[in-house]
Amino acid sequence: MPHHRPARRPAAAVPRENGEQRIAKLLARAGVASRREIERMIAEGRIALNGEKLTTPATLLESLDGVTVDGKPVRAAAATRLFRFYKPVATLTAERDAKGRPTIYDRLPPGLPRLMPVGRLDFMTEGLLLLTNDGELKRQLELPRTGVVRTYRARAHGQVTQAELEGLAEGITVEGMHYGSINANLERRTGSNCWIEMSLTEGKNREVRRVLAHLGLQVSRLIRTAYGPLTLEGLEPGDADEVRQGELEAFAKSLK
């Protein structure tokens, strides 16, 4: 059984701007759902202010006083919290699966608050997945223009040269999909297998696997080792811990 280290105490909130803000942003901050999901909920008439259904996500408010979702009052945003989770292999980054496959919520240690994943990792990809209670921070970390560097280690079968990997720095198009600059290094080779470290800022669906397949390599293991300044250090599959307040604030301030 994997060892689960206890979650740390809640961090203080990351400083936020005051004054009027769009309701979609306020509700995302409160962890209700993503902004896009909230816009859909408003269109469905599920969100009201003082009993009146809202019709636009552009509604400006200073607080969530009087706001209800499905008739229930919304709690004010809790302090922003961010967790590191070592997602095990063969686990879906989703709340539930119609096919009954295990999800990250089946693997998370007990006692954590309601958390949303930042981006996703494929079913067979393991490693660092960030989780937060703050829909606005989630959105910031996921935006392509934010340019957060994701680092992966891939074990692959086949032959490739360092020169071929360095060519990925110019970007590459695979089956009509363009992938931006990737920093790739051949770490070591053992027989017909090799380990490759890759850093990228896009994180498009199955990007690492598709790019390596294009180079004639078959990936047998893929681990995300870092997301921005946060790494897997000290975590085993199934472990989660909370990012300390100072680290969280520094990370949030570094976002473009």
Side-chain angles (χ1 to χ4, degrees), residues 19-250:
E20 290 192 337
Q21 295 176 57
R22 282 174 170 244
I23 188 167
K25 185 174 183 178
L26 287 171
L27 288 171
R29 261 286 289 127
V32 171
S34 68
R35 280 204 209 181
R36 191 176 297 169
E37 195 63 33
I38 287 160
E39 287 171 8
R40 195 175 298 133
M41 291 162 81
I42 288 172
E44 291 168 357
R46 294 171 58 193
I47 298 175
L49 174 61
N50 299 325
E52 286 194 30
K53 287 181 184 176
L54 292 176
T55 56
T56 170
T59 303
L60 294 174
L61 298 174
E62 285 197 6
S63 76
L64 290 171
D65 292 348
V67 175
T68 56
V69 176
D70 296 330
K72 296 175 185 170
V74 180
R75 287 186 197 160
T80 296
R81 301 176 71 180
L82 185 66
F83 290 77
R84 299 185 307 151
F85 174 54
Y86 190 139
K87 174 194 170 294
V89 74
T91 314
L92 272 188
T93 308
E95 281 203 37
R96 60 189 68 83
D97 180 43
K99 298 176 184 172
R101 291 173 295 178
T103 75
I104 56 171
Y105 295 98
D106 298 320
R107 298 288 184 257
L108 281 168
L112 296 176
R114 181 179 179 274
L115 296 169
M116 299 169 278
V118 175
R120 61 181 58 240
L121 290 176
D122 295 338
F123 187 65
M124 292 305 293
T125 300
E126 62 188 283
L128 184 62
L129 186 65
L130 299 183
L131 301 155
T132 181
N133 64 337
D134 183 340
E136 189 57 27
L137 178 63
K138 166 183 161 71
R139 177 177 170 273
Q140 271 189 296
L141 290 172
E142 290 174 347
L143 280 173
R145 66 174 167 78
T146 308
V148 179
V149 176
R150 292 98 154 140
T151 304
Y152 296 81
R153 289 185 73 227
R155 184 179 67 199
H157 179 78
Q159 299 297 321
V160 71
T161 65
Q162 179 60 33
E164 286 178 292
L165 292 174
E166 285 173 6
L168 297 176
E170 305 300 317
I172 189 171
T173 299
V174 179
E175 295 176 0
M177 173 68 75
H178 182 73
Y179 300 106
S181 178
I182 298 172
N183 181 10
N185 289 292
L186 189 59
E187 284 190 337
R188 67 174 188 269
R189 199 191 305 279
T190 316
S192 60
N193 284 305
C194 57
W195 279 98
I196 298 165
E197 184 177 74
M198 303 173 73
S199 296
L200 49 128
T201 58
E202 287 181 321
K204 287 177 180 168
N205 188 33
R206 299 183 66 80
E207 179 166 349
V208 171
R209 292 179 189 275
R210 285 177 173 158
V211 168
L212 292 182
H214 184 72
L215 296 179
L217 297 169
Q218 187 177 353
V219 175
S220 56
R221 190 176 180 195
L222 184 57
I223 311 164
R224 182 155 70 190
T225 56
Y227 198 101
L230 303 174
T231 72
L232 268 183
E233 186 180 357
L235 296 181
E236 296 292 329
D239 282 354
D241 73 358
E242 187 162 5
V243 176
R244 294 184 189 278
Q245 179 192 351
E247 285 181 276
L248 170 55
E249 289 182 359

